[in-house]
């Protein structure tokens, strides 16, 4: 039995400290489970260690050499932008791949990846939703979309740029009526929301943060308008619902991401989660963050499995894992249907083809899946 | 046209909110000559106190909010006790630097005491907007604006017309002279922070009523900074006008220029206005002129 | 020269000859300091002009006037209190030093040589003013009198071709005044430059000045030799008071 | 009423500025503290008023008593409340405030607004000049005018003891007379005075008793009369030659003539 | 400062930074330590050291700006960002070698800083300092809204490693040496600047700008120069950063970063270059040890729960800075100077 290490980056003290409990809470049990049920069989044991990167690229950069020296990891579990920023230049020379939990960013969309996102970019996910909603709406005209974004972070800008690109390339499908810029904690959005609704927006996309969702929701409420909001994983229905006080107020709004939605339904993913709870001491709650952690860890585990199969359990290297990631398809069953069939390619850090997204909503006050297996369209680079 | 009026009114009200936050800067400055970099953090802290009293402990608004003000005042006092009482008479620069340490500390405290989660802030003012014809005014901002104007003129009266206000002005002018006249610098600074904390809490209530709250909301301090600079650090009532100017211009720019530029020019515009006006009036519109004598 | 309603200087005309010690006296608030400020360019007179060696000074930037050779000391203390005595006087050498920022960045070489060269001049001044023992003390911790001496040293370090002094003796006891008077005379002797002196100590003024101008409410009320001034009834009434001969 | 016993003052834990001085200011009298630059006169006053502490200084030994109470450990505000006002050197006006506001600050301890006005009027009465300037911003006043403001401000507090650091500094002769007239007036009305002064002649005129400081120590003390006749004081502080004539500044020879009592 | 009994015998001697043999020995030892450090310490510590070196350049610049010229600068991170972006753009678009693009990055930042400094023409005192906050928001706005082809917009810039004669600075150690060389040069330069007439002009303008004007100092230019130099240092730091991380994005240079830089200056002590270095070291060391310690504490006491421990770390960090400010508001260097002074006077304490 050969022991290898996995480095787990987490934001304990930075801006996303609140979701970390579920995210890393899900990673660890997956590895324990894998060690016990898969690793044992193939002769591989994995260790894992958490590092606090404060969601700060400088911190990641200063941590990384130490991680390499101390842990000599064969794979890294990353969180978000700063990890990509600080490590995308180094991983190729260090020959260690990184698997991300969040969606990808436009800035990391480069060929020959060492970084792998289980999900495409936020814009891809949004586009999948728009296509779905347009079909659901019926009719022929493009779906009129308003975007509430912010320049507080380049990641936010990236999101709306991607959607704008999609709209520009597919004028028959999506029309962006306006991009409204706000601060991280908007003072009041009534006038802005009023304006976009009068421009005929059929849906409002907010993938920045919950504060913006809450402010928009309040604006809609005070205007007496019913326009659905589409959110993403980090500011989704549950978070926004909590932030506004009651998830019932999010009735009719949506969240979209290329993973399973953490609904109450007895899905395979849910069963896997409960198994981890009962057998491997998983403490995280069944949230989007936990799903991200599960998906991410599973991708990593399956890649290691594939690599072990190829090069033998005692010869696994970061490079071999990357090879395995690029050459094998990780089937939906391998990830307990948390992800669809995942096939990475040399084109970019996320699967450019064959991805599917789930859409969740609040209906009659209950969180539930609105659609699953929604195909993610392809978008040209922006 | 009606749009324009709407943006104008809303901008003005948001501007008044900035003015209220900026008043926190000004009040602390006026009573102690300390420029408080931690103003945004004070707002968030005040917000969390309100959240804690009302949402977490479940006290009714009529009890929770006054209690929150008391707690904020105590916190202000605590800040003075712990940080500034030892520094009385030290250079003002040192005190200003302390506020930077305070900023970092309060952030940590908020994380420990209230956690990093986004909290739902209680609905203090009714959500229904005031609707006049086609003009639609958010109620919390409207009530807040009215409160701000009253508080602004009240404080202005206090600092400019009362003896206690004069005493504090003396402290802000020159700590040593104030001491030599038997004025307690410590008490003045304590008062400044109490007032600053209470005002920040009030600001938080108006800002956050019915919205969400986590420590990132402290950015409002940054947004209010140009207002304070524009008015001049000594001008309490002047902050109202500066707030209106900044708010209205920002509102209109966001509405009409952002879509053209395709970027958030509305957020940088206050800084540009501030620079322009400072070039014309180097100590803000109503700030004390620097006296240069040899 | 007027500030709002306050007329600080009203139609004052005067001239300082080369190598002359001109004293300006007058009651408090007469406009003496304002006059000095006009001369040194700190105030811009609304009317009239200041000429030095034929060239027009008024309207020039303050630091250009200094470069033209005018140095001054200040009423009260306007000394750089966080710097040591040496550094203060070295600031006086600023206009004579040339080193650019890049050369300062590469300190060793021309910049250092220049520093040392000027340091020697400064040491001479320190010796002249007898402040050797406090050379390295921060000026902020010095008493009032010593500060005034450093102030003078700083002005001297500029190697001015005209020196303005605003109440240099204030805050000194007789002995120190004597010292300072000596310094002033020495400077005049050594450098042969005109000096304009504002002072309230009549002993000093009468003894040192070649000529005296008396201001009151911004107007010249008398001008003449010390002896003439002492007899002038207008001056006695406005300024000296009976018994202060 | 004010007594200093063996007081030592240290700045920043290293600079010993006052090295064990003792002095007494009796009730209703005027005491002058004379001495050269850097002798420690201002430091002594600051030690009494407690201001020293904000300059990173400390009274390290000895004690200061006022009206039988120890005040060397007291807060500056308490010292002022007990009736001592310190007029600091350097005309520390509150620059952005008007003359009247400056004076009002001085009267801040008065219990009611009416009492303050009354004091204000009496100060205007005593210092006519200030009444004329009352709405001017003090930062722009001339040096002498500022000096009047700070003295007026001290009077506003109605203190038992006024300590004035160099009241004549920068004043025109006529004005010095005026100020000292004022001080005499104050003294006559029962206020005790402790004056630090470089203008030895006028100081000794008003003072009952004088101390001469050098290098942080008291080197000479005596009744004003005595001091005036002391040979050294005459030469070094009054600038008189042996015959009692004032020497001309032009005639001073350039060498170190200073005779030091100590170190 | 010399111990008792040592006197300067010449002006050169009096001005020298290092006056006794002991100090020389200490300095040489320190430099040797810096040089051999990568061979002794583990890579994590080397990385931290590299980080500290980069910060040191930025903070030394801030020290000149703030500690000497008295201008609080809230835009230092933005200036650093300008340097990083300029360097990145030059290296990518024009293929400039690093020894050209780094100084040019510094210059770009210097120009940006100078423009803000020029507002000293009209704006004075605290108002001037606070206008630098506009630098932050302008920088952010411009990078995100200028054409993507210039500075990459929201995509940021990705750099190739610095290269010279076919050697590329990829390894942690090589980057460390690159930064060490640059930082040493910059720090030495800083000592030169503050001892020259410019340094004195900065302090003079800070102390009393009216009087310094009347001493022949061009006040506006001096203030603007202070910003220029501060920004130049920030720019160099940013340029090194660009080659270190090899990816530049706006969110690496936020106001909060500026605030930390200021905290470093304060902890070290205003008005001392050495203080700036000490401040960087202390804060960074504390920060890094917390980051390192955190996960182990959680591993030891899982019951505590990660977030609580980490939040407490934040409080600690803030508390330490606040404690510094309360008990040593003038920074560590001030304490050190007092110690030295008593040593100099020893054995005669007063
Ligand atoms: N910048 C200014 N703004 C407003 N008023 C001014 C200004 N400068 C001077 N003054 C006024 O001008 C008058 C003359 O002042 P100045 O300082 O020249 O007097 P001075 O003769 O030097 O008196 P002193 O001997 O007391 O120093 C004063 O009444 C003063 O208040
Ligand atoms: N804040 C301070 N820090 C350090 N040393 C100080 C400080 N203030 C004064 N000193 C030192 O204490 C000594 C006495 O100073 P002080 O101001 O009491 O003198 P003084 O007698 O009032 O002189 P002057 O007549 O010049 O005003 C001086 O040597 C001075 O250097
Ligand atoms: Mg004058
Ligand atoms: Mg004194």
């Amino acid at each position: 039995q050969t022991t290898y290490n996995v480095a787990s980056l987490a934001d304990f003290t930075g801006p996303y400290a609140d979701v970390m409990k579920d995210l890393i809470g899900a990673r660890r049990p997956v590895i324990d489970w894998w060690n016990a049920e898969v690793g044992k069989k193939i002769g591989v044991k994995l260790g894992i260690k958490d590092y606090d990167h404060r969601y700060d690229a400088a911190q990641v950069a200063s941590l990384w050499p130490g991680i390499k020296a101390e842990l000599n990891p064969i794979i890294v579990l990353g969180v978000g932008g700063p990890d990509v920023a600080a490590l995308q230049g180094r991983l190729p020379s260090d020959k260690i791949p990184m698997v991300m939990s969040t969606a990808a960013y436009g800035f990391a969309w480069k060929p020959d990846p060492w970084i792998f996102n289980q999900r495409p970019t936020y814009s891809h996910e949004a586009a999948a939703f728009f296509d779905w909603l347009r079909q659901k709406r019926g009719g022929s005209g493009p779906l009129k979309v308003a975007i509430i974004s912010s320049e507080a972070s380049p990641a936010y800008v990236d999101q709306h740029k991607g959607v704008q690109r999609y709209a520009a390339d597919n004028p028959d499908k999506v029309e962006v009526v306006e991009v409204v810029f706000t601060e991280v904690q908007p003072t009041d959005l009534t006038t802005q929301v009023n304006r976009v609704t009068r421009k005929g927006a059929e849906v409002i996309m907010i993938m920045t943060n919950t504060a913006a969702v809450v402010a928009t929701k309040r604006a809609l409420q005070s205007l007496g308008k019913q326009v659905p909001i589409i959110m993403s994983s980090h500011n989704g229905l549950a978070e926004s619902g909590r932030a506004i006080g009651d998830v019932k107020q999010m009735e009719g709004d949506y969240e979209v991401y290329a993973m399973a939605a953490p609904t109450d339904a007895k899905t395979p993913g849910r069963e896997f989660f409960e198994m981890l709870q009962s057998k491997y001491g998983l403490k995280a709650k069944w949230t989007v963050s936990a799903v991200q952690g599960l998906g991410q860890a599973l991708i990593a585990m399956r890649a290691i499995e594939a690599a072990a199969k190829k090069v033998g359990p005692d010869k696994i290297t970061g490079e071999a894992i990357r090879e395995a990631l690029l050459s094998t398809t990780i089937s939906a069953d391998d990830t307990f249907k948390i992800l669809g069939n995942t096939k990475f390619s040399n084109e970019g850090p996320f699967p450019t083809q064959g991805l599917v997204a789930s859409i969740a909503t609040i209906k009659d006050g209950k969180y539930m899946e609105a659609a699953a297996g929604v195909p993610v369209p392809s978008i040209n680079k922006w | 046209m009606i749009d324009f009026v709407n943006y104008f009114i809303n901008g003005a009200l948001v501007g008044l909110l900035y003015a209220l936050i900026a008043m926190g800067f000004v009040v602390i400055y006026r009573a102690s000559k300390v420029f408080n970099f931690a103003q945004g953090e004070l707002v968030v802290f005040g917000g969390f106190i309100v959240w804690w009293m009302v949402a977490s402990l479940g006290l009714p608004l009529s009890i929770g909010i006054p209690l929150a003000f008391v707690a904020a005042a105590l916190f202000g006092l605590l800040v003075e006790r712990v940080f500034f009482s030892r520094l009385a008479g030290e250079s003002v620069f040192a005190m200003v630097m302390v506020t930077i340490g305070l900023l970092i500390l309060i952030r940590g405290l908020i994380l420990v005491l209230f956690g990093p989660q986004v909290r739902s802030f209680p609905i203090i003012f009714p959500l229904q907007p005031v609707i006049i014809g086609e003009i639609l005014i958010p109620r919390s901002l409207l009530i807040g604006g009215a409160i701000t104007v009253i508080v602004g003129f009240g404080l202005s009266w206090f600092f400019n017309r009362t003896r206690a206000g004069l005493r504090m002005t003396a402290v802000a002018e020159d700590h040593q002279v104030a001491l030599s006249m038997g004025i307690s610098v410590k008490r003045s600074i304590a008062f400044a922070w109490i007032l600053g904390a209470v005002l920040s809490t009030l600001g938080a209530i108006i800002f956050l009523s019915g919205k969400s709250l986590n420590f990132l909301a402290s950015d409002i301090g940054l947004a209010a900074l140009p207002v304070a600079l524009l008015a001049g650090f000594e001008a309490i009532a002047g902050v109202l006008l500066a707030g209106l100017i900044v708010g209205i211009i920002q509102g209109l720019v966001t509405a009409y220029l952002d879509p053209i530029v395709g970027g958030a020019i509305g957020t940088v515009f206050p800084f540009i206005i501030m620079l322009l006006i400072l070039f014309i009036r180097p100590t803000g519109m109503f700030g004390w002129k620097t006296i240069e004598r040899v | 020269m007027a500030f709002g309603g306050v007329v600080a200087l009203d139609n004052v005309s005067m001239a300082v000859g080369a190598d002359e010690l001109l004293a300006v006296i007058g009651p408090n608030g007469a406009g003496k300091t304002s006059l000095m400020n006009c001369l040194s360019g700190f105030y811009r007179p609304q009317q009239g002009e200041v000429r030095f060696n034929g060239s027009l000074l008024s309207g020039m930037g303050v630091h250009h006037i200094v470069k033209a050779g005018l140095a001054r000391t200040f009423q009260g203390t306007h000394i750089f209190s966080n710097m040591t005595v040496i550094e203060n006087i070295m600031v006086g050498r600023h206009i004579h030093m040339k080193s650019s920022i890049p050369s300062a960045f590469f300190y060793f070489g021309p910049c250092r040589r220049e520093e040392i060269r000027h340091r020697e001049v400064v040491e001479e001044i320190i010796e002249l003013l007898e402040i050797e023992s406090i050379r390295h003390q921060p000026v902020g911790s010095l008493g009032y009198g010593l500060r005034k001496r450093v102030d003078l040293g700083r002005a001297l370090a500029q190697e001015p071709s005209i020196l303005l002094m605003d109440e240099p003796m204030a805050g000194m006891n007789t002995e120190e005044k004597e010292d300072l008077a000596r310094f002033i005379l020495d400077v005049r002797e050594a450098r042969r430059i005109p000096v304009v002196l504002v002072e309230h100590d009549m002993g000093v003024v009468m003894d040192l000045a070649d000529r005296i101008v008396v201001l009151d409410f911004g107007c010249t009320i008398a001008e003449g030799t010390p002896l003439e001034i002492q007899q002038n009834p207008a001056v006695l009434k406005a300024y000296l008071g009976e018994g202060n001969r | 009423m004010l007594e200093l016993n063996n007081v030592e003052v240290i700045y920043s834990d290293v600079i010993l500025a006052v090295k064990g001085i003792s002095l007494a200011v009796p009730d209703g009298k005027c005491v002058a503290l004379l001495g050269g630059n850097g002798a420690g006169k201002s430091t002594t006053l600051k030690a009494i008023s407690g201001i020293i502490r904000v300059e990173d200084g400390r009274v390290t030994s000895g004690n200061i008593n006022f009206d039988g109470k120890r005040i060397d450990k007291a807060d500056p505000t308490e010292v002022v409340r007990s009736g001592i006002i310190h007029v600091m050197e350097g005309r520390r006006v509150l620059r952005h405030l008007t003359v009247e506001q400056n004076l009002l600050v001085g009267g801040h301890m008065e219990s009611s607004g009416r009492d303050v006005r009354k004091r204000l009027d009496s100060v205007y009465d005593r210092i006519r000049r200030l009444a004329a300037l009352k709405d001017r911003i003090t930062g722009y006043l001339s040096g002498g005018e500022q000096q009047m403001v700070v003295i007026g401000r001290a009077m506003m507090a109605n203190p038992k003891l006024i300590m004035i650091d160099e009241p004549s500094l920068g004043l025109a002769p006529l004005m010095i007379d005026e100020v000292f007239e004022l001080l005499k007036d104050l003294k006559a009305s029962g206020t005790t005075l402790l004056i630090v002064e470089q203008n030895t002649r006028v100081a000794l005129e008003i003072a009952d008793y004088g101390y001469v400081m050098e290098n942080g120590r008291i080197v000479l003390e005596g009744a004003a009369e005595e001091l005036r006749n002391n040979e050294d004081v005459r030469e070094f502080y009054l600038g008189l030659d042996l015959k009692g004539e004032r020497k001309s500044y032009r005639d001073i020879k350039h060498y170190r003539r200073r005779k030091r009592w100590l170190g | 400062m010399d111990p008792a009994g040592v006197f300067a015998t010449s002006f050169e001697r009096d001005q020298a930074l290092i006056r006794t043999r002991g100090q020389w020995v200490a300095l040489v030892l320190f430099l040797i330590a810096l040089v051999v450090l990568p061979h002794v310490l583990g890579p994590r510590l080397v990385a931290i050291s590299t980080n500290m070196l980069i910060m040191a350049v930025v903070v030394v610049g801030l020290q000149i700006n703030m500690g000497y010229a008295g201008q609080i600068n809230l835009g230092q991170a933005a200036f650093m960002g300008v340097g990083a972006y300029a360097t990145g753009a030059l290296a990518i678009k024009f293929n400039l070698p690093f020894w050209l693009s780094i100084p040019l990055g510094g210059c770009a930042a210097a120009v940006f800083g100078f423009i803000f400094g020029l507002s000293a023409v009209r704006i004075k005192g605290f108002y001037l300092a606070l206008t630098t906050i506009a630098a932050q928001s302008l920088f952010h706005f411009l990078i995100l809204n200028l054409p993507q082809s210039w500075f990459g917009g929201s995509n940021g810039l990705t750099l190739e490693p610095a290269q010279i004669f076919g050697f590329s600075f990829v390894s942690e150690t090589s980057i460390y040496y690159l930064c060490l060389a640059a930082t040493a040069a910059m720090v030495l330069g800083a000592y030169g600047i503050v001892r020259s007439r410019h340094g004195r002009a900065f302090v003079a303008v800070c102390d009393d700008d009216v009087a310094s004007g009347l001493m022949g100092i061009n006040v506006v230019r001096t203030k603007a120069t202070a910003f220029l130099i501060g920004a130049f240092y920030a720019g160099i730091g940013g340029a090194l950063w660009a080659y270190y991380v090899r990816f530049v994005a706006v969110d690496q240079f936020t106001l909060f970063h500026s605030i930390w830089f200021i905290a470093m200056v304060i902890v070290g002590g205003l008005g001392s270059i050495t203080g700036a270095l000490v401040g960087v070291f202390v804060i960074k060391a504390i920060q890094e040890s917390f980051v390192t310690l955190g996960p182990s504490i959680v591993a030891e006491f899982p019951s505590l729960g990660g977030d609580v421990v980490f939040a407490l770390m934040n409080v600690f960090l803030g508390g330490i800075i606040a404690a510094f400010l309360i008990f040593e508001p003038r920074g560590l260097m001030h304490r050190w100077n007092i110690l030295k002074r008593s040593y100099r006077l020893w054995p005669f304490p007063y």
Side-chain angles (χ1 to χ4, degrees), chain B:
Chain B
M1 186 58 209
I2 202 72
D3 269 351
F4 181 85
V5 174
N6 245 324
Y7 300 144
F8 192 91
I9 293 179
N10 255 291
L13 291 177
V14 170
L16 283 178
L17 171 62
Y18 289 160
L20 181 58
I21 310 286
M23 233 176 264
F25 286 113
V26 172
V27 161
I28 292 184
Y29 190 86
R30 242 333 251 284
S32 64
K33 205 171 188 174
V34 172
F35 182 84
N36 176 22
F37 279 103
Q39 196 62 39
E41 270 61 28
L42 274 189
V43 173
V44 176
F45 196 83
F48 268 110
I49 294 178
V50 174
W51 170 82
W52 184 56
M53 296 279 178
V54 176
S56 186
L57 296 185
L59 298 175
L61 285 185
S62 55
I63 300 174
I65 292 192
L67 264 185
F69 282 125
V70 172
L74 285 178
F75 180 71
L77 186 64
L78 189 75
V79 166
E80 190 275 337
R81 283 287 95 153
V82 177
F83 294 94
F84 293 98
S85 62
R86 248 172 280 251
L87 288 177
E90 276 286 347
S91 76
V92 171
F93 200 72
M95 297 203 191
V96 173
M97 292 296 114
V98 170
T99 66
I100 288 186
L102 200 58
L103 183 157
I104 295 167
L105 185 72
I106 297 183
R107 277 197 174 212
L109 270 182
I110 290 172
L111 280 178
V112 171
L113 297 178
F114 306 108
Q117 296 89 332
V118 179
R119 306 289 188 176
S120 135
F121 199 83
I123 301 171
I124 312 249
F125 303 109
L127 286 174
Q128 297 76 26
V130 177
I131 299 173
I132 307 166
E134 276 185 66
I135 301 167
L136 193 134
I137 306 169
R139 200 173 289 260
S140 68
L141 286 185
L142 185 65
I143 301 175
I147 296 178
T148 304
V149 172
I150 295 168
V151 168
F153 283 112
L155 284 175
S156 177
W157 171 82
F158 172 77
F159 275 99
N160 295 324
R161 292 274 174 276
T162 67
R163 289 170 63 207
L166 186 63
R167 226 163 24 220
M168 279 170 218
T169 311
V171 172
E173 255 304 76
D174 192 328
H175 289 189
Q176 265 195 26
V177 170
L179 266 182
S180 81
M181 296 314 301
I183 298 171
S184 170
V185 173
K186 283 183 197 177
R187 200 179 309 160
S188 190
I189 294 179
F191 181 79
W193 283 88
I194 290 173
L195 205 54
V198 169
L199 275 181
S200 303
T201 308
L202 181 60
I205 291 175
I206 294 167
F207 176 32
L208 298 169
S209 167
K211 302 214 184 68
S212 63
L213 166 65
N214 82 340
F215 65 96
L216 294 176
S218 62
D219 275 17
I220 185 91
L222 198 61
L225 186 60
V227 175
L229 279 158
L230 200 56
F233 293 138
E234 291 89 3
I236 294 175
V239 160
L240 299 175
L241 182 61
L244 287 176
I245 293 176
V246 168
I248 291 170
I249 295 185
Q250 187 180 18
L252 295 179
V253 166
T254 314
Y256 294 112
L257 228 51
D258 268 9
I260 299 176
V261 177
I265 197 161
T267 50
V268 279
F269 226 79
F271 291 98
I272 297 172
I273 310 168
M274 169 192 91
L275 278 176
L276 288 180
I277 294 197
L278 283 184
F279 259 91
I280 301 164
R281 297 189 63 97
T283 51
M285 294 188 298
F286 309 100
W288 286 345
K289 297 210 174 54
T290 15
I291 293 184
E292 289 189 331
R293 291 261 352 234
V294 286

Side-chain angles (χ1 to χ4, degrees), chain A residues 12-13 21 50 52 54 58-59 61-63 65-66 69 85-86 88-90 106-107 110 151-152 154 157-158 161, chain E residues 43-44 47 51 140-141 144-145 148 154-155 158 172 241 244-247 250-252 257 288 291 295 307 310 314:
Chain A
F12 291 110
T13 40
K21 230 183 196 164
D50 295 331
D52 180 19
R54 309 171 69 91
Q59 195 66 62
S62 86
L63 272 173
Q88 71 174 359
R90 295 167 182 240
F107 73 79
K110 291 184 187 122
E151 281 192 351
V157 178
D158 188 59
K161 285 223 167 115
Chain E
R44 162 115 170 93
N51 235 303
H140 192 97
F141 175 78
L144 287 180
N145 289 288
Q148 186 133 348
S154 57
N155 278 355
T158 307
E172 234 14 89
W241 170 259
Y244 173 53
V245 177
R246 284 187 255 135
F247 179 74
V250 267
D251 50 356
Q252 293 163 0
H257 288 97
E288 292 287 351
V291 164
D307 49 346
F310 286 106
N314 255 347

Side-chain angles (χ1 to χ4, degrees), chain E residues 174-193:
Chain E
S174 60
I175 279 278
Y176 171 82
Y177 283 122
L178 177 66
C179 292
L180 179 63
T183 308
M186 295 304 285
V187 169
L188 191 66
Y191 277 113
I193 290 175

Side-chain angles (χ1 to χ4, degrees), chain C residues 89-117:
Chain C
I89 302 180
M90 283 296 273
V91 170
R93 299 298 301 168
H94 186 86
I95 46 168
H96 296 290
M97 298 176 74
K98 301 269 156 345
S99 70
S100 62
I101 289 180
S103 86
F105 187 91
F106 304 106
Y107 184 73
F108 297 95
C111 180
R112 178 152 172 270
R113 280 199 295 280
E114 185 183 46
E115 285 283 316
I116 290 168
R117 207 166 54 240

Side-chain angles (χ1 to χ4, degrees), chain D residues 243-255:
Chain D
K243 282 176 257 109
E245 289 275 308
R246 203 175 60 76
K247 293 176 294 193
S248 167
Y249 284 97
R250 284 207 185 239
D251 301 338
I252 296 155
K253 280 178 233 62
H254 191 212
Y255 62 88

Side-chain angles (χ1 to χ4, degrees), chain D residues 42 89 165-166:
Chain D
S42 306
E89 77 187 322
D165 209 343
E166 319 221 359

Side-chain angles (χ1 to χ4, degrees), chain B residues 293, chain C residues 3 6 8 27-34 43 75 167 200, chain D residues 136 140-145:
Chain B
R293 291 261 352 234
Chain C
F3 305 99
V6 184
N28 293 116
K32 305 179 294 297
T33 302
S34 302
Y43 288 171
Q75 177 173 21
E167 303 195 12
H200 284 305
Chain D
R136 297 266 289 276
Y140 291 119
L141 293 182
S142 85
E145 291 163 342

